[in-house]
Amino acid sequence: MIGTFPTNVDVTGRPQSGRIDLTQIGAIASFEHGPWNLGTTVVHGIADIHTSRLDAGTSTADYDARLWAAMAELSYFWALPKNSRLVPKLGFDWTRSRTDAFTEVGGAAPFTSTSVTARRVRMLLGAEIGHSWLVDRTIMDVSAYGRLVDNLTQDIGAIQLTDAVNQPQFVSGVLESKYGADAGAALSAKVTETIRLYAVYDGRFRSNFTAHSGAIGAEFRF
């Protein structure tokens, strides 16, 4: 699977903004035995980052970032009446990211930054509930999920910022809260045995931040 995810970032109350263009390439494998399913995923991402801030002039920077991730999830399919289902799930994931060093161009005091690497391991426990029905020859499916999240380990590096005026500054990365929750919903249409259209919403809820995301796409199987 291949996906591209553009993200715009604006800093509230300050003339600063950024854009992240992330392209991810991944592979999925699934192993089934009766109602049990073990799913595994590996992902590699490449990002182009552009930042801009106003400092007696405009300082800009362009640099790259990379992402590696893997996930394993064990689930149990519990069939309910009228083509409905309940699927308890237990998962673990690992993520590592690296952002390159950069030097701003323009402005009164452009910054130079070191590279930074971050790592995280999580456990996720929750369940999905869903329902399927047939419209003509198209299989429709709607589902919703909720899960609790435990950040088992987090190693978020610090960057060193240097300009021509001030002493070097160290800025630590932002940690997630140890515990949190995820929730989301999905609607899909299986047009043929090999083509599926879908729309997905995901929410992330932590003590120090909340995030919402959505995706519309198509899946092709060979």
Side-chain angles (χ1 to χ4, degrees):
M1 62 179 182
I2 300 175
T4 300
F5 309 92
T7 302
N8 291 314
V9 180
D10 292 309
V11 180
T12 302
R14 293 185 177 273
Q16 302 179 24
S17 63
R19 180 179 174 87
I20 304 171
D21 292 313
L22 173 64
T23 299
Q24 292 183 333
I25 302 173
I28 299 173
S30 180
F31 307 91
E32 293 186 5
H33 180 72
W36 293 96
N37 179 276
L38 175 63
T40 58
T41 304
V42 292
V43 174
H44 177 56
I46 302 172
D48 296 320
I49 303 174
H50 174 79
T51 61
S52 176
R53 64 185 183 87
L54 188 61
D55 180 20
T58 301
S59 297
T60 62
D62 291 281
Y63 50 101
D64 298 328
R66 288 167 297 283
L67 167 73
W68 300 264
M71 180 176 182
E73 182 179 76
L74 179 66
S75 63
Y76 183 87
F77 188 94
W78 187 2
L80 300 177
K82 298 182 180 180
N83 296 319
S84 298
R85 64 187 182 276
L86 177 64
V87 187
K89 300 180 179 183
L90 171 64
F92 293 87
D93 71 14
W94 164 86
T95 303
R96 179 180 184 271
S97 64
R98 176 180 172 82
T99 302
D100 288 346
F102 66 86
T103 299
E104 292 182 326
V105 177
F111 277 103
T112 295
S113 170
T114 57
S115 62
V116 63
T117 300
R119 301 175 183 86
R120 181 186 67 189
V121 178
R122 302 187 302 173
M123 180 178 70
L124 308 98
L125 177 63
E128 170 195 326
I129 187 168
H131 175 68
S132 299
W133 70 99
L134 190 63
V135 178
D136 293 330
R137 296 184 178 182
T138 301
I139 301 176
M140 304 295 297
D141 186 87
V142 63
S143 63
Y145 77 89
R147 63 192 178 201
L148 300 176
V149 180
D150 184 353
N151 282 289
L152 301 176
T153 63
Q154 294 186 81
D155 180 11
I156 310 298
I159 62 173
Q160 178 179 311
L161 294 174
T162 307
D163 64 16
V165 178
N166 301 300
Q167 293 293 323
Q169 305 174 50
F170 286 91
V171 180
S172 300
V174 178
L175 296 174
E176 287 188 12
S177 57
K178 178 172 174 56
Y179 301 110
D182 296 342
L187 175 65
S188 70
K190 191 173 183 181
V191 182
T192 69
E193 288 297 321
T194 59
I195 301 175
R196 184 175 71 95
L197 308 178
Y198 62 87
V200 179
Y201 160 77
D202 290 297
R204 304 287 181 261
F205 307 94
R206 307 291 187 267
S207 65
N208 51 356
F209 83 92
T210 300
H212 304 276
S213 64
I216 298 175
E219 178 183 285
F220 302 89
R221 295 192 176 186
F222 302 94

